[in-house]
Amino acid sequence: MPGTLYLVPTPIGNLGDISIRCRETLENADFIAAEDTRVTLKLLNHLGIKKSLVSYYEHNKTFKGDQIVERILAGETCALVSDAGSPAISDPGEDLVRQCAQAGITVCAIPGPCAAITALSISGQATGRFCFEGFLSTAKKSRREHLESLKAERRTMIFYEAPHKLAATLEDLRDAFGAERPISLCRELTKLHEEVVRTTLGEAAKRYAETPPRGEFVLIVAGAPEGEKETIPETDAALRVSQLIAEGLSRKDAVKQTAKELDLPKNAVYTIALKDPE
Ligand code: SAM
């Protein structure tokens, strides 16, 4: 009989946030798979738990994943933890969950700390509809494409960012969405110096260009306001037009269909398509 893979969220700052169920799961597991065993060892020492640890992180996940699956199939129970917060959310785990599910192993997620949701809830931004965008790429081209694809996004957007990249990211967000767009910068959540700065992208870019920030940040950016529909998702439109042309449509028909699918004016899509060489 196979064991179970438990996803165990850990505190994002305040150690008091570990739940009774998480603690019990760590105690009862046969082994713990950890993003960084040194970080997890500190938590286990704090909790007074002694347990066998294996590392599971970005660069060993392929072969370690196979070993973990084999052990669970043989009947062992594994608790997966990342350095902080919910495993598999911008953290290692996504692949292991898929691998286990494919192998017929039960995967059980324990609810708990997640920086994205903690930040969203205190941001003061609309929480009814939101999208999680994780980290922006460091590569200029894919970063630009990512932001371009979000220009017409109406939902509140959640970004993770490292402090040393914050100033550049705020400038890029301001350039993509405009200086007036509201943002909440949620810093050091659940820690001693927790802070939420509710401002605009223009002000935030200025503020953090002058004073380099400290600590960890989640950025909660308001979605595009009503009436900003004319903001054309250029990359989406250009991509769709070339896709349809590749499928055999004439440029004229590809433009017509793209305009219909994306609910955009035909002449605007035509202008975008002309910029994009076939
Ligand atoms: N899986 C984790 C989660 O669900 O919270 C997120 C891991 S991701 C590698 C780390 C990012 O989460 C940081 O760069 C920062 O954007 C955000 N973060 C983590 N802890 C935070 C905290 N205490 N305050 C603000 N942001 C935090």
Side-chain angles (χ1 to χ4, degrees), residues 12-13 35 82 84-91 113-116 119 135 159-163 186-191 215-219:
I12 56 170
E35 181 181 9
S82 61
S86 296
I89 306 300
S90 289
D91 261 344
C114 175
F135 289 98
F159 297 92
Y160 281 162
E161 195 46 286
C186 306
R187 187 172 80 90
E188 295 287 83
L189 295 166
T190 77
K191 301 183 192 174
E216 298 196 90
F217 281 85
V218 181
L219 310 177

Side-chain angles (χ1 to χ4, degrees), residues 87-102:
I89 306 300
S90 289
D91 261 344
E94 182 183 335
D95 293 342
L96 187 60
V97 169
R98 198 175 303 116
Q99 251 181 299
C100 285
Q102 278 165 0

Side-chain angles (χ1 to χ4, degrees), residues 200-220:
T200 60
L201 285 174
E203 288 303 317
K206 245 190 266 164
R207 175 180 178 139
Y208 292 99
E210 285 155 16
T211 329
R214 280 196 174 175
E216 298 196 90
F217 281 85
V218 181
L219 310 177
I220 309 288

Side-chain angles (χ1 to χ4, degrees), residues 171-226:
E171 282 181 15
D172 289 349
L173 290 170
R174 178 202 56 203
D175 294 346
F177 305 147
E180 298 311 313
R181 184 76 70 88
I183 178 173
S184 305
L185 299 106
C186 306
R187 187 172 80 90
E188 295 287 83
L189 295 166
T190 77
K191 301 183 192 174
L192 187 63
H193 298 292
E194 173 170 316
E195 177 189 43
V196 182
V197 175
R198 300 177 183 90
T199 181
T200 60
L201 285 174
E203 288 303 317
K206 245 190 266 164
R207 175 180 178 139
Y208 292 99
E210 285 155 16
T211 329
R214 280 196 174 175
E216 298 196 90
F217 281 85
V218 181
L219 310 177
I220 309 288
V221 182
E226 290 282 336

